[in-house]
Amino acid sequence: MTPSPANHDKDLPTLGELSEISIADYDEKKHEIKPKSYSLPERRKTEATQSRKSRLGTFKKSVKRQISGSLRSIGAYAGRIAKPANAYIRWNLLFTFLIFLFISSAIWIPVIPALNDFALEIVVIISIILHILWIIAILNALRYTWRLRRFAKHEIRLDNVKNETGLLVKHLVGLCVYKEPLELLMDTIDSIVTQPNARNKITVLVGMEGGTPDKDEKKRLLHEKYDLKFEKFIVTFHPRGLPGDIPGKCSNFNYAARTAVKILRADKNYPLEEYDNNVELLVTTGDCDSVFGDRYFDALEEDYWKISEKQRTYTVWQSPLFYCINLDQSPFFVRVTGLLRAFFMMGYLIPWNINTMSIFSLTLKLFEDGEYTHPGYQMDDIIALIRWSLAVRKKCVIRAIPVATLSGPTSGKNYIDEWYEWARQIRRWTIGAAEVFHYFAIKFFRLPVSVSFSFAAKFVFYYGFLLCIASVYSIIAPIVTPAMLNAVDHGVHGLVIPNNKCFMIIMFSFLGLQYIWFFIVFLVNYLCQPVFPRQTKDKTGIIRNIFHLLMTWPTLVMYCCVELVAFMEVTIRGKSVCSHNASKKDNLVAPTVSKQPDRMEV
């Protein structure tokens, strides 16, 4: 490479010299005892010979000091050596055992002499606990709904924040894509283009798979449209077959993010950790079927400045996510699932610090300390909080950004296709949750005991009890428990509940109460619509809304059944079923204009 004639360029290494800064060289000298400042050198060298080496050596030391940990992660990433592990004997077996132990309790509790006197009361107590947890979720969801509506009227003044050090905040936004329509990806990127000051502070990263159809043409079109609209626009191709990678967003984003950070650090015009520049890069990950909320990044920065420097080291920011893209055109089971997921995010995931979902942000330091995303697992959002908690050896905190973001539900060309895509998505979520439980179990003792037990209880409750067991148990227990009591000649009565008729009245009352909670789920979605980006509305009519409300409980039962089958599948087939097979998003590209859709609108 021909050196630049400018004098100041002579003081900096070329890109070729930068690439020679090796991790091995750093590791060998890491523990070397260096002479103190007052020590005499062993021998003198001429000033002319020493000048160039001194400048380059100083720069190398600066880079190693600032990004030594990062170099180990991002330097020429070519996969990872996966640790040897049994593909079948895994901790998700314990998860599956707990699930089926609880469901079968309606059978084995009545036949145990010491417990059958309390069998009916146990079912009632479990139902009461479930409804108390629903009330907690409702209070949390209404609280976040109020925050969203109030923040919509709030004026963000970043020029008034207390920034004594002159810290410059920039953003790296990562989106991954495989076979999803290019128009859908562009729609997501367009929602980032409209963010305030996007041209000066936002870098967008698009991670494509090596097997993406027409990837070179798509890359050209993306660069052509967006190069001048962001500070940087980067497109990467995730190579197939990297050691330790499994197909999915985790491995794709892991490769893309490492590559992007390496590019930014090598760019002399990008002030990331070079010399005296004071920059904080916030990393945001999203999906290609998302619409970022209005002022997402300004709201993120405002909250960033509200907390202390120490808090930022273990904070992850999450905005409430609503599955409302073309939701009014979805069949009842897709729409109900979308409404429930948004409700549960505000009711449990964010306030209970269970896990992030789809679109979330964190500092680059925390991202790198957690070694980016794990390429050997399929669910980058569910596993993320555990990895970052391990990196800081304490509980990471999810802070809500009071800006609504939108995501697309599953979609299909016809009703059968809708069923298939809906069930496939649930299966993927369930298998991913089972794998994350295994990952958490093997890392259990690396966290403070209180943090580990607290997270385990919340994780098992949400992914095991609420999503997988509750609805099926509410059917099985009222029928099977009395039948088993009769089978062991005990009679259908308890210490407090006198007979089967009283028991059934109580259980039907709980079912009626459950529909009140379902109504509030629909109400929360309606109350949040005024703050949706692009003034998006769920235009579902009153009749269909009533029908969907009635079908909420059957939808949850079907959801639970799919999850049970998925848990059995991962138990029998082991690690081989773990891959990220994304659901189709073709029908989310644009709203259906025709009044004669190719699927039933029910």
Side-chain angles (χ1 to χ4, degrees):
M1 180 179 292
T2 304
S4 171
N7 291 331
H8 67 276
D9 285 346
K10 292 180 180 179
D11 294 335
L12 297 175
T14 64
L15 290 178
E17 291 169 331
L18 177 62
S19 65
E20 293 174 0
I21 302 176
S22 66
I23 302 167
D25 178 62
Y26 174 72
D27 288 338
E28 290 173 3
K29 299 180 180 179
K30 184 174 181 180
H31 302 290
E32 183 180 295
I33 300 176
K34 299 180 180 180
K36 296 182 179 180
S37 58
Y38 54 77
S39 301
L40 293 175
E42 294 181 3
R43 60 177 181 271
R44 297 182 179 275
K45 295 186 178 180
T46 63
E47 185 176 345
T49 306
Q50 190 74 13
S51 177
R52 174 63 179 170
K53 292 184 178 180
S54 176
R55 287 193 297 267
L56 180 58
T58 300
F59 180 82
K60 286 183 177 182
K61 290 177 183 178
S62 174
V63 173
K64 290 172 183 176
R65 181 177 63 253
Q66 296 180 37
I67 60 172
S68 58
S70 304
L71 283 171
R72 204 171 280 107
S73 300
I74 67 174
Y77 182 75
R80 55 185 284 274
I81 300 176
K83 296 179 181 178
N86 194 298
Y88 298 97
I89 308 301
R90 304 173 68 81
W91 281 103
N92 54 262
L93 296 177
L94 175 61
F95 204 172
T96 305
F97 171 77
L98 293 174
I99 288 171
F100 283 93
L101 177 69
F102 189 87
I103 291 180
S104 62
S105 64
I107 298 175
W108 55 264
I109 286 179
V111 302
I112 299 177
L115 296 177
N116 54 20
D117 286 341
F118 310 95
L120 299 181
E121 284 79 5
I122 290 174
V123 175
V124 172
I125 290 172
I126 291 173
S127 299
I128 291 174
I129 293 173
L130 177 62
H131 285 282
I132 290 174
L133 292 170
W134 267 94
I135 293 172
I136 293 173
I138 288 169
L139 294 176
N140 286 333
L142 291 175
R143 178 165 59 93
Y144 282 112
T145 299
W146 177 74
R147 285 189 62 188
L148 288 172
R149 292 174 67 96
R150 185 184 63 168
F151 190 81
K153 302 175 183 178
H154 169 68
E155 181 182 3
I156 301 176
R157 295 293 302 273
L158 294 178
D159 53 335
N160 291 339
V161 299
K162 188 177 181 181
N163 184 8
E164 297 176 350
T165 60
L167 187 68
L168 182 62
V169 178
K170 290 181 175 290
H171 300 271
L172 173 64
V173 186
L175 306 171
C176 291
V177 63
Y178 180 30
K179 293 183 178 180
E180 292 81 0
L182 184 62
E183 295 83 355
L184 186 65
L185 174 64
M186 287 182 169
D187 195 46
T188 299
I189 300 176
D190 288 340
S191 71
I192 308 175
V193 171
T194 58
Q195 300 289 322
N197 207 22
R199 180 67 181 83
N200 298 319
K201 68 180 182 182
I202 297 179
T203 296
V204 171
L205 163 66
V206 176
M208 293 188 186
E209 289 288 353
T212 297
D214 304 318
K215 61 180 185 293
D216 293 317
E217 176 63 13
K218 291 178 179 178
K219 177 181 179 179
R220 184 190 67 79
L221 292 173
L222 289 171
H223 277 295
E224 186 178 273
K225 182 176 180 180
Y226 296 112
D227 272 353
L228 299 179
K229 295 182 179 180
F230 297 106
E231 185 174 18
K232 302 285 181 184
F233 189 82
I234 302 170
V235 179
T236 64
F237 297 136
H238 177 217
R240 289 180 174 179
L242 287 180
D245 282 17
I246 68 169
K249 181 184 175 183
C250 258
S251 55
N252 188 354
F253 189 58
N254 178 65
Y255 177 85
R258 291 174 186 270
T259 304
V261 172
K262 186 177 182 180
I263 291 172
L264 294 178
R265 285 199 167 113
D267 189 341
K268 297 178 181 179
N269 297 318
Y270 194 88
L272 182 60
E273 296 183 347
E274 290 186 8
Y275 300 109
D276 297 327
N277 288 313
N278 195 12
V279 177
E280 179 77 275
L281 183 64
L282 299 180
V283 180
T284 298
T285 176
D287 291 335
C288 65
D289 61 335
S290 305
V291 176
F292 282 80
D294 301 330
R295 307 186 301 166
Y296 176 95
F297 297 96
D298 279 3
L300 170 61
E301 287 185 41
E302 183 182 56
D303 197 71
Y304 171 89
W305 290 111
K306 285 181 180 179
I307 61 178
S308 67
E309 185 176 352
K310 182 179 180 181
Q311 287 176 297
R312 296 167 195 160
T313 62
Y314 57 84
T315 296
V316 183
W317 287 270
Q318 171 81 63
S319 68
L321 192 64
F322 296 87
Y323 299 83
C324 202
I325 299 178
N326 296 355
L327 191 62
D328 50 355
Q329 300 172 24
S330 301
F332 73 88
F333 48 90
V334 174
R335 181 167 179 262
V336 166
T337 302
L339 297 181
L340 286 169
R341 288 193 70 200
F343 175 82
F344 288 151
M345 169 169 280
M346 295 189 292
Y348 295 119
L349 295 183
I350 296 177
W352 284 13
N353 286 290
I354 297 178
N355 63 258
T356 52
M357 188 62 69
S358 296
I359 298 176
F360 50 92
S361 306
L362 68 160
T363 64
L364 175 62
K365 184 180 186 308
L366 181 56
F367 191 48
E368 289 187 312
D369 287 346
E371 298 184 13
Y372 295 80
T373 56
H374 199 307
Y377 286 81
Q378 65 188 91
M379 305 299 288
D380 67 311
D381 40 20
I382 300 180
I383 199 175
L385 206 66
I386 302 173
R387 286 174 60 78
W388 299 327
S389 295
L390 289 166
V392 297
R393 291 296 190 267
K394 63 186 299 182
K395 180 179 72 174
C396 279
V397 176
I398 301 177
R399 285 181 64 91
I401 304 174
V403 173
T405 53
L406 301 184
S407 185
T410 57
S411 66
K413 296 180 180 179
N414 51 57
Y415 215 77
I416 295 177
D417 202 25
E418 290 273 15
W419 277 96
Y420 175 76
E421 293 299 327
W422 174 81
R424 188 170 71 150
Q425 181 82 306
I426 296 170
R427 172 187 175 273
R428 181 172 63 83
W429 288 334
T430 306
I431 292 174
E435 274 295 279
V436 170
F437 182 81
H438 167 76
Y439 180 84
F440 166 73
I442 61 179
K443 307 289 186 181
F444 186 91
F445 292 105
R446 296 190 184 183
L447 289 171
V449 175
S450 59
V451 174
S452 293
F453 275 108
S454 173
F455 179 82
K458 292 181 289 188
F459 190 89
V460 171
F461 157 73
Y462 182 74
Y463 285 102
F465 183 69
L466 183 67
L467 295 183
C468 188
I469 297 174
S471 296
V472 172
Y473 181 83
S474 65
I475 296 176
I476 294 175
I479 298 173
V480 174
T481 300
M484 293 303 298
L485 288 173
N486 283 325
V488 296
D489 296 327
H490 179 276
V492 185
H493 62 82
L495 294 180
V496 178
I497 300 174
N499 52 51
N500 189 36
K501 181 179 180 180
C502 181
F503 176 68
M504 295 306 296
I505 290 174
I506 294 173
M507 298 310 297
F508 275 111
S509 299
F510 282 143
L511 181 59
L513 186 61
Q514 185 68 68
Y515 269 93
I516 295 177
W517 310 148
F518 291 155
F519 172 77
I520 296 177
V521 171
F522 281 67
L523 178 64
V524 165
N525 180 75
Y526 176 77
L527 293 175
C528 290
Q529 285 188 40
V531 300
F532 286 175
R534 300 178 179 175
Q535 298 181 338
T536 303
K537 301 293 181 183
D538 180 359
K539 299 179 181 179
T540 306
I542 296 177
I543 302 300
R544 287 187 71 214
N545 257 315
I546 294 174
F547 174 70
H548 289 185
L549 176 62
L550 294 174
M551 295 302 293
T552 302
W553 189 64
T555 299
L556 272 176
V557 173
M558 292 187 295
Y559 192 109
C560 290
C561 292
V562 175
E563 284 216 335
L564 289 172
V565 172
F567 270 115
M568 288 300 299
E569 184 179 7
V570 72
T571 297
I572 296 172
R573 297 179 59 191
K575 181 70 175 176
S576 62
V577 301
C578 300
S579 63
H580 187 124
N581 297 316
S583 298
K584 294 179 181 178
K585 305 289 182 179
D586 300 54
N587 290 336
L588 300 178
V589 173
T592 303
V593 178
S594 174
K595 293 298 181 181
Q596 296 180 346
D598 59 358
R599 60 176 183 266
M600 299 167 57
E601 290 189 349
V602 293

